[in-house]
Amino acid sequence: MCWILAPALVVVFTALGLALHGSTGQGAATFQRGDSFAMIGLGVLGAVVVLLFTRVKVEADADGIRVRNVIGSYHLPWEVVRAVRFDRGSPWASLELHDDELVPMIALQAVDKDSAVAGVRALRALRDRAQPVPSAS
């Protein structure tokens, strides 16, 4: 979706930028060439922001988990992860750490339905193998 939306933003804002000419409608002000370039620049900036959503990723192995969100990345050993959460109504899964901090995992979104649930289950299994829950005696 992002790879479709980003070029569309550039095309729409370029068309708007090229269409800017003449009077602004009030007073003696007129659109200048700089206004057209600014509009095109806004389209490119919007496309870059949209493409940031393509960088989200979650990778895990027996040693830990690496989470890359739109802004920021985390590399956490399983020892600091208390739980892998995917609460009802939450837009994405998260990691609950032992210091009560929540780390969002935007790559596992609720809109992905079954594949997100499968991803969360796989992460829980990896976490449980790496850090078994102590049994109550």
Side-chain angles (χ1 to χ4, degrees):
M1 186 66 158
C2 292
W3 291 104
I4 296 169
L5 184 59
L9 274 173
V10 173
V11 168
V12 167
F13 274 78
T14 299
L16 286 172
L18 295 175
L20 290 178
H21 56 79
S23 174
T24 61
Q26 305 235 342
T30 59
F31 288 110
Q32 302 294 321
R33 182 175 298 164
D35 298 321
S36 295
F37 288 132
M39 189 63 82
I40 295 168
L42 284 174
V44 170
L45 182 63
V48 168
V49 169
V50 166
L51 288 176
L52 283 175
F53 285 92
T54 64
R55 73 182 296 271
V56 298
K57 184 191 240 183
V58 174
E59 294 176 324
D61 56 25
D63 297 324
I65 185 166
R66 289 160 300 286
V67 177
R68 187 170 63 195
N69 288 326
V70 175
I71 299 174
S73 298
Y74 305 88
H75 182 218
L76 303 166
W78 286 117
E79 292 79 31
V80 302
V81 178
R82 180 183 298 157
V84 178
R85 296 175 50 173
F86 201 3
D87 300 329
R88 185 175 301 279
S90 178
W92 46 71
S94 60
L95 297 173
E96 181 180 350
L97 307 183
H98 285 289
D99 63 359
D100 293 330
E101 184 179 351
L102 285 177
V103 176
M105 294 186 291
I106 298 174
L108 293 172
Q109 297 189 10
V111 296
D112 294 333
K113 296 181 173 119
D114 292 338
S115 66
V117 172
V120 168
R121 287 181 178 152
L123 289 175
R124 286 176 179 162
L126 271 172
R127 185 215 167 267
D128 290 345
R129 280 194 300 269
Q131 184 181 15
V133 177
S135 60
S137 302

